[in-house]
Amino acid sequence: MNRRDFLQQSALTTSGTLLIPHFLKAYESRAMGQPMAPSGKILVVVQLSGGNDGLNTVVPYRNDIYYRERPGIAIKPDDVLKLNDEIGLHPAMTPLKALYDDGLLTVINNVGYPNPDRSHFRSMDIWQTATDSDKYSQTGWLGRYLDKSNSPEPYRTLEIDDTLSLALKGEQLNGLALLDPKKLYGQTRSGMVKKLSQEHDHEHETASYLYKTLAETVSSAEYVFGKAKVKSTGTTYPASELGNRLKTVSQLIQSGVATSVYYVSISGFDTHINQPGQQERLLRQYAESVGAFMADLKTAGRQNDVMLMTFSEFGRRVKQNASNGTDHGTASNVFLIGGGMPSQRVMNEAPNLSDLTEGDLKYTVDFRQVYATLLRNYLGADDAAILGRKFDALKFV
Amino acid sequence: MNEAPESEPSKLANIRYLYSRAGFGATPVELTDAGRKPLRSVIKQLLTNGKQPFAELYVVDAETNVTKRNLKGMMRDGKLDRDMLKERIRQNVENVRDLNLQWLDRMASGENALREKMALFWHGHFACRTMGQNPLLMQQYANTLRQNALGNFGELLMAVSKEPAMLQFLNNQQNRKNAPNENFAREVMELFTLGRARNGAPNYSEHDVKEAARAFTGWQFTPTGQFIFRPAVHDDGEKTIFGKTGTFRGEDVMGMLLEKPQTARFITSKIYRFFVNDTEDPKRVDDLARHFQKNYDIASLMERIFTADWFYDAKNVGAHIKSPVELLAGMRHTLGIQFDTPQPQIFVQRTLGQLLFYPPNVAGWPGGKNWIDSSSLLFRMQLPSYVLKAADVAVQPKEDGDVNTVSLARKGGQNFKTTVNWSVFETAFAKIPDADLPDALAAVLLPFPLRPDQRTLIDTQIKSGQTQSERIRLLTAALMSLPEYQLS
């Protein structure tokens, strides 16, 4: 054995035994696999990026103002999938209507926040950080949820993507982003990553933070990959980006991965020009993917443990523009699906199109009321500590 | 500061550290050259270079630049069809992209490094996001930051606040007599000068914001990108701001803000956290701020920092996490890397969360540990393989939802084709024996010496029978893949 081989081997043995950082030991001794929410409930957030046009998603099909302001893009009353005698769903959303008929869908109208911002980036920031529109935060609401939980490991909040959204970044800890458990696992096995992750605590605080992140990444990736050995229920998902991602979520849930929150986003809702075709395609993709996801969970007997929440950073202007599209607006609707809620269906009043602010809808439900209700009543977390103050709960749980 | 007792390795380490903070790192040749001079004169040189006349960034000129609004007007008048409109808007987005890349080239060149580094700091401080895809406004804004980067803070504050890009971003065009919009006035106080509160006490009141907003009415810009004061929309009535009453205009408010010691304190603290340590040392910042407030000379403040003994303290060295732009520009500078196609550098910036001219909001990039999560750390550790070995990229950044910026996400981002000036880099190590190469390279690339376990791991990268050139390349890529390379 030459000197290098010897060093290599001894480094391997020591790093495998003596030099496991203490935070990792704590990690292993903890019962991995216990759900984080006391209730065992799981939240799946689906973000529609670009500002989905809420008025053509949940259509006020009896409202004259709606038809007057949108001569080129309004959905005809006959085409609307009616939810009640005021509003109905876009015709591309039949699977969602079926969920509604099964008592699994709750629609909340007019969700927004005070002093709305019409920039995509800023408004998404506000939704993800859950701060007032004149304040800036470096942490997201789900990142703070992870911070405050009693079992803070990155995989507890999981984004199905290559990069991590601000929503999942905490003060102490960040959630984990992965598009595919195998792919992330492969990345942590390539090059020197795995070996470096076994390095002991560094004397420099910042370096030590990097090594801690690396170690958490490697063990989280290992945990999720090791756990995610699922047999599919045989449900067919649409071959779209959202379909694939929700399929991954379902597999992880069914494998018993101890993740409490999943985060998924799809893009393309910024419909300034020729809205109808584009929005129809996206809403169909959304509804078919969500329909398959809920059917899959139903077969697996998990549909009451999983709630899917859908939002967009803003809705769009009531009046259409000159290019058969719509411009950035304010309040819009939020969907809640599954989770074993009492079926509330349409929770509140339809948008009031005769009382607008500069052509935009007024919000009546603060989106942080939705978050607060989900955190406290659904996930069993301390909503006021996470959101910075108390918001009135809604009655959907 | 002490010059005499420095040993050669620690002097080299100090110079390496200085270049990594006051610029975008150093090449081995720069380190050797600087090593022959006293540290104080190296600092002087960095400051003097930074003050020399500089070449403006240039992608578009005022005569040919057409705004999106004008383009839409041309379409309504039948001068453009829809496809032509789309093409022209796409061209504008691409011009902003090219501006981004041109600036990155300047940072990577190492010329006027301190000026570019300082301007990058100001870009985060006076954060302004591209609105309406207008390259001309962003070009002017960037050049104003670069022009004044090491000058007088008061002049910089006034100049950048009057930039059309900023007035547009902060809605001052909508701030009119009888219909005030407070956005601009609020951000000037909260983010540009005072900060929201110090030790729990607010630095300004809501009343101050309201009244200052009235003073800023009339600060507008023309369609060709010129600042203009429009008396017709200016509220010339009396305002009471910070307890003083008068028929103030925007310039008066800026003057009042500069008179407040808190402005100097706030700026100095932010500079300290960017250039020295994310954790502030309150006494040192107090002391620096007292001097800074006398004349708001940015270069003097920087000289005071770089020449202080404590700047080189062990607790500061390696305490800064490189921003994505610092990482990319630094890697390019050290190895003389050119990208053959434009998209990969945009791809890296988007994936790691710092795209020049698109800060997340008016508060700028949060920086520090916020740069790091599991995905970004793994990507950073893979980056040398992409840049130096054209390894396959299996990562895709999110779309931001804005239909106007989709061309920034165009294909080709994952196709890294680069030219690396290895021969110059390798020459510097020609006389180093093989066994000493890892430590010699680490001394140039990393803030700390290699630990024995790391050295063992790094050694596994090389095989017997390789030429020295092959060894240097492999070792460099390996060292740049270490978590420590993320630090400066």
Side-chain angles (χ1 to χ4, degrees):
Chain A
M1 181 187 282
N2 66 25
R3 185 174 164 274
R4 183 178 291 153
D5 287 342
F6 171 73
L7 282 175
Q8 218 171 311
Q9 285 206 357
S10 53
L12 271 178
T13 32
T14 40
S15 61
T17 52
L18 290 172
L19 296 180
I20 295 176
H22 55 77
F23 56 85
L24 266 189
K25 281 188 185 140
Y27 212 78
E28 285 174 353
S29 64
R30 229 179 267 133
M32 273 183 150
Q34 294 297 313
M36 186 157 87
S39 54
K41 298 279 188 183
I42 293 166
L43 174 67
V44 180
V45 178
V46 176
Q47 169 183 302
L48 310 180
S49 305
N52 177 39
D53 179 20
L55 284 173
N56 272 17
T57 305
V58 178
V59 183
Y61 67 93
R62 288 263 174 84
N63 194 312
D64 296 341
I65 303 173
Y66 169 78
Y67 289 100
R68 189 185 72 212
E69 297 290 11
R70 297 184 159 205
I73 63 164
I75 313 283
K76 292 192 193 85
D78 285 350
D79 296 339
V80 170
L81 308 172
K82 297 174 181 63
L83 300 181
N84 59 25
D85 56 12
E86 268 186 300
I87 58 173
L89 295 173
H90 187 285
M93 300 178 90
T94 5
L96 217 64
K97 174 67 164 56
L99 291 170
Y100 180 80
D101 292 339
D102 288 346
L104 290 171
L105 170 68
T106 296
V107 177
I108 313 177
N109 291 307
N110 310 313
V111 185
Y113 55 89
N115 304 313
D117 199 301
R118 288 168 186 79
S119 132
H120 291 288
F121 225 85
R122 182 65 195 131
S123 195
M124 193 55 96
D125 234 35
I126 292 164
W127 273 84
Q128 295 202 358
T129 57
T131 50
D132 292 342
S133 66
D134 64 347
K135 295 199 175 69
Y136 306 96
S137 168
Q138 299 164 10
T139 60
W141 70 290
L142 295 168
R144 297 193 298 269
Y145 164 67
L146 185 61
D147 276 342
K148 305 263 188 268
S149 82
N150 51 11
S151 50
E153 287 111 0
Y155 65 83
R156 299 291 189 171
T157 57
L158 202 58
E159 178 160 11
I160 308 300
D161 211 323
D162 278 328
T163 55
L164 190 72
S165 294
L166 180 56
L168 289 89
K169 293 188 183 179
E171 189 79 49
Q172 315 295 332
L173 198 63
N174 297 315
L176 184 72
L178 59 80
L179 199 51
D180 168 10
K182 192 175 172 190
K183 188 174 123 187
L184 180 68
Y185 180 73
Q187 283 177 321
T188 62
R189 292 277 149 169
S190 69
M192 305 181 294
V193 173
K194 166 87 176 164
K195 279 190 188 156
L196 282 170
S197 76
Q198 292 163 341
E199 300 249 333
H200 49 80
D201 289 324
H202 203 286
E203 57 185 298
H204 293 82
E205 197 257 337
T206 321
S208 165
Y209 172 77
L210 298 186
Y211 277 97
K212 178 172 173 283
T213 304
L214 191 64
E216 285 164 353
T217 307
V218 169
S219 55
S220 281
E222 225 166 63
Y223 166 75
V224 176
F225 176 68
K227 224 23 179 138
K229 307 281 188 207
V230 94
K231 60 269 176 220
S232 164
T233 62
T235 308
T236 311
Y237 282 79
S240 59
E241 186 179 283
L242 183 63
N244 287 330
R245 292 181 185 197
L246 285 178
K247 187 177 179 183
T248 303
V249 173
S250 171
Q251 286 172 348
L252 295 176
I253 290 173
Q254 292 182 51
S255 306
V257 172
T259 297
S260 291
V261 179
Y262 293 90
Y263 206 92
V264 184
S265 49
I266 51 166
S267 192
F269 291 90
D270 195 17
T271 49
H272 291 279
I273 297 169
N274 292 336
Q275 174 174 305
Q278 192 182 349
Q279 201 200 16
E280 180 180 344
R281 183 177 58 77
L282 287 165
L283 291 180
R284 175 166 315 209
Q285 187 193 132
Y286 167 79
E288 286 177 353
S289 305
V290 170
F293 179 69
M294 292 311 293
D296 195 2
L297 291 175
K298 188 178 180 183
T299 313
R302 300 297 300 274
Q303 68 173 347
N304 289 336
D305 303 333
V306 180
M307 185 181 318
L308 189 141
M309 189 261 276
T310 300
F311 78 97
S312 192
E313 73 267 35
F314 43 62
R316 304 186 79 88
R317 193 71 42 84
V318 174
K319 187 180 172 64
Q320 72 165 87
N321 64 22
S323 323
N324 262 347
T326 49
D327 297 322
H328 303 179
T330 52
S332 189
N333 33 59
V334 161
F335 292 151
L336 298 165
I337 300 164
M341 299 173 290
S343 68
Q344 200 77 38
R345 306 193 152 195
V346 180
M347 241 203 60
N348 56 350
E349 76 288 352
N352 183 347
L353 303 189
S354 56
D355 181 21
L356 304 177
T357 305
E358 292 170 40
D360 281 319
L361 299 176
K362 289 181 176 167
Y363 85 100
T364 57
V365 174
D366 192 308
F367 72 97
R368 290 163 297 184
Q369 292 179 265
V370 180
Y371 289 0
T373 314
L374 289 169
L375 288 167
R376 170 166 294 267
N377 301 340
Y378 183 71
L379 293 172
D382 183 349
D383 59 323
I386 292 164
L387 300 176
R389 63 174 193 267
K390 198 80 194 153
F391 288 92
D392 291 337
L394 302 169
K395 297 236 174 341
F396 59 78
V397 177
Chain B
M1 69 189 292
N2 297 330
E3 295 287 354
E6 275 182 321
S7 67
E8 279 310 306
S10 88
K11 182 166 185 197
L12 181 73
N14 281 348
I15 291 173
R16 197 210 64 80
Y17 166 68
L18 173 68
Y19 270 86
S20 73
R21 296 297 179 91
F24 298 88
T27 63
V29 174
E30 282 170 330
L31 287 179
T32 315
D33 287 352
R36 296 198 188 99
K37 301 172 202 158
L39 190 52
R40 191 177 277 276
S41 72
V42 177
I43 296 166
K44 210 70 192 171
Q45 180 103 49
L46 280 167
L47 285 157
T48 332
N49 284 346
K51 279 184 173 170
Q52 278 168 5
F54 74 110
E56 297 205 330
L57 301 179
Y58 174 81
V59 293
V60 66
D61 59 33
E63 280 72 47
T64 56
N65 185 63
V66 186
T67 63
K68 193 168 140 192
R69 176 175 299 192
N70 289 349
L71 288 172
K72 284 190 166 169
M74 287 160 74
M75 191 178 93
R76 271 193 298 277
D77 300 345
K79 289 180 199 156
L80 286 179
D81 65 24
R82 174 157 287 146
D83 288 340
M84 286 157 78
L85 174 74
K86 264 178 112 168
E87 173 57 26
R88 294 290 292 270
I89 291 175
R90 194 184 62 79
Q91 189 58 49
N92 276 359
V93 179
E94 269 187 24
N95 283 336
V96 180
R97 180 198 71 183
D98 292 344
L99 190 68
N100 173 321
L101 296 175
Q102 211 177 88
W103 194 12
L104 199 62
D105 282 347
R106 298 285 166 82
M107 295 180 198
S109 76
E111 284 166 43
N112 296 333
L114 179 55
R115 180 201 290 280
E116 303 300 353
K117 187 65 168 280
M118 207 72 221
L120 177 61
F121 167 79
W122 293 124
H123 181 26
H125 178 76
F126 295 110
C128 182
R129 198 175 156 91
T130 309
M131 305 286 288
Q133 284 64 52
N134 190 329
L136 178 68
L137 302 196
M138 293 322 279
Q139 176 177 297
Q140 286 177 191
Y141 158 81
N143 285 326
T144 292
L145 294 180
R146 296 171 66 245
Q147 173 95 60
N148 295 284
L150 284 161
N152 178 280
F153 175 74
E155 287 168 22
L156 170 64
L157 171 68
M158 192 70 85
V160 76
S161 301
K162 287 184 171 177
E163 273 303 325
M166 189 63 83
L167 293 167
Q168 181 183 33
F169 183 49
L170 297 179
N171 311 110
N172 211 56
Q173 206 80 335
Q174 289 91 49
N175 182 21
R176 293 152 174 267
K177 182 181 181 178
N178 300 329
N181 182 311
E182 293 164 15
N183 200 16
F184 183 82
R186 182 180 305 281
E187 305 308 7
V188 165
M189 290 187 195
E190 180 182 336
L191 297 162
F192 296 174
T193 56
L194 295 174
R196 189 184 283 267
R198 178 152 155 74
N199 302 328
N203 291 325
Y204 53 87
S205 68
E206 280 303 301
H207 183 77
D208 294 329
V209 171
K210 280 199 166 57
E211 295 284 278
R214 293 176 55 215
F216 285 118
T217 51
W219 275 30
Q220 302 216 332
F221 61 92
T222 65
T224 53
Q226 300 292 315
F227 174 83
I228 185 171
F229 177 72
R230 291 210 167 98
V233 293
H234 176 68
D235 178 346
D236 57 6
E238 280 200 341
K239 300 112 190 162
T240 302
I241 305 168
F242 304 129
K244 291 181 192 157
T245 304
T247 52
F248 300 126
R249 288 189 179 183
E251 288 82 354
D252 302 314
V253 179
M254 294 304 193
M256 286 186 230
L257 288 166
L258 290 169
E259 275 170 27
K260 286 182 167 284
Q262 173 55 24
T263 294
R265 182 68 178 65
F266 181 69
I267 301 302
T268 308
S269 163
K270 227 171 151 177
I271 286 178
Y272 184 93
R273 281 180 281 130
F274 187 91
F275 285 94
V276 184
N277 197 314
D278 210 22
T279 310
E280 179 183 314
D281 182 324
K283 278 192 65 183
R284 280 191 185 130
V285 173
D286 284 345
D287 187 47
L288 292 167
R290 248 193 318 277
H291 284 98
F292 186 46
Q293 208 211 337
K294 286 179 197 157
N295 54 12
Y296 281 108
D297 186 67
I298 301 163
S300 314
L301 173 64
M302 300 319 290
E303 182 170 6
R304 199 173 282 275
I305 291 172
F306 297 142
T307 54
D309 285 338
W310 49 254
F311 177 66
Y312 301 87
D313 280 354
K315 70 164 184 181
N316 294 329
V317 176
H320 174 82
I321 299 176
K322 292 174 188 170
S323 79
V325 167
E326 287 176 286
L327 177 68
L328 189 56
M331 196 181 276
R332 284 188 54 188
H333 178 61
T334 307
L335 297 177
I337 300 167
Q338 292 297 327
F339 280 75
D340 300 352
T341 55
Q343 280 308 112
Q345 293 188 91
I346 298 295
F347 168 77
V348 172
Q349 293 177 54
R350 289 179 70 237
T351 305
L352 291 176
Q354 187 182 35
L355 182 60
L356 295 173
F357 304 120
Y358 295 86
N361 55 55
V362 66
W365 293 280
K369 290 178 184 166
N370 294 288
W371 292 126
I372 302 296
D373 56 60
S374 49
S375 316
S376 65
L377 182 58
L378 287 178
F379 185 85
R380 281 168 176 249
M381 291 171 69
Q382 279 295 315
L383 190 58
S385 303
Y386 302 151
V387 174
L388 303 177
K389 303 175 185 167
D392 283 345
V393 181
V395 168
Q396 181 65 53
K398 277 188 211 21
E399 288 174 30
D400 66 6
D402 187 341
V403 72
N404 290 308
T405 54
V406 286
S407 67
L408 290 173
R410 273 188 321 161
K411 288 207 173 70
Q414 288 116 312
N415 274 333
F416 282 76
K417 289 201 188 75
T418 58
T419 312
V420 184
N421 198 343
W422 281 114
S423 60
V424 170
F425 186 77
E426 286 165 12
T427 308
F429 300 93
K431 290 179 188 150
I432 310 276
D434 281 355
D436 297 342
L437 266 181
D439 293 318
L441 286 161
V444 171
L445 299 173
L446 304 178
F448 318 117
L450 286 175
R451 295 193 308 266
D453 50 343
Q454 273 181 324
R455 200 181 188 287
T456 312
L457 186 57
I458 294 293
D459 275 342
T460 63
Q461 301 296 306
I462 42 181
K463 312 272 178 292
S464 58
Q466 284 167 328
T467 63
Q468 201 215 22
S469 160
E470 285 168 329
R471 281 163 188 261
I472 289 175
R473 294 178 191 199
L474 283 168
L475 288 168
T476 300
L479 291 169
M480 285 182 161
S481 305
L482 290 176
E484 281 83 350
Y485 187 69
Q486 310 309 320
L487 305 173
S488 80

